[in-house]
Amino acid sequence: MLVEDLIVLGKKRVHSTFAKMLLADLLNINMLALPLHLKEEVPEETKDLYLEKLALIENKSPIQYVLGTVNFCGLSLKVDKRVLIPRFETEELVINTEDYIRKLFEKKALRIIDLGCGSGAIGLALKKKFPDSSVTLLDISEDALSVAKENAKNLGLAVNFIQSDIFRDVDGQFDVIVSNPPYLREDEDIEDIVKDNEPSIALYGGKDGLDDYRKILSTCSKHLNTKFLLAFEIGYLQKEEICALVKEYLEDVIVVCKKDMSEKDRMIFIYSRAIARN
């Protein structure tokens, strides 16, 4: 079959964009370049694989899992059902965290830890941006850490790994603690495609969605250097509750909430007044 024939077939079964993304991926070309290849013959084995993967998308598998990779902050990351699919909002967390690090710290060699790293998206993106820093990726899930380790190897980024429930098995202090913890309430309604495919351990944060924020904020003090930055992604309705937790567990800090591109409260940054006085 020709490329154009497979595109037509695919668009009858799934969203047009997904059909073209999938075919471009299998042909190893940029999706925008597909029009230049319309009259080319597609190898039989590629056609069969295309049809097989179309069926997965039809059966509500996320396109990212079907492709097996996702672009995050310019990094190509492997993703599958063992890890959460990185979102655009989390890219915004990384971009803003980078801005705060460059503004607050003079030294280049920082100690950074990504709590609940999943695929490693946040920690690996920060390692790429701050290559002189020591970056640790932590997750309670052995499966998630396996994916993160593969991504680090594929990207050639030297980072550390710890399997732990938050700080339980962690020693030492850090300049930057960053986390996108599970923050959905246990009774919160979400799309079926998310609920049926992505790991629940990475989605749900207890009865009110704040379990992991409590764990982090109540135990982080002994793991923070004098001058520090804490960076969280949050649920867009959780700003007041998390700010109250910060007030309960941390002293002499500055707290800033930032909105995402949809104008929703999505990130909280906490840093020591000592660092702000520099």
Side-chain angles (χ1 to χ4, degrees), residues 54-74:
L54 277 178
L56 293 174
I57 300 173
E58 280 185 298
N59 289 325
K60 307 304 181 184
S61 288
I63 182 69
Q64 295 90 341
Y65 287 163
V66 175
L67 295 176
T69 59
V70 64
N71 184 287
F72 182 87
C73 291

Side-chain angles (χ1 to χ4, degrees), residues 175-188:
D175 302 295
V176 180
I177 296 174
V178 59
S179 184
N180 175 24
Y183 53 70
L184 297 179
R185 299 187 315 274
E186 62 184 22
D187 62 349
E188 194 163 339

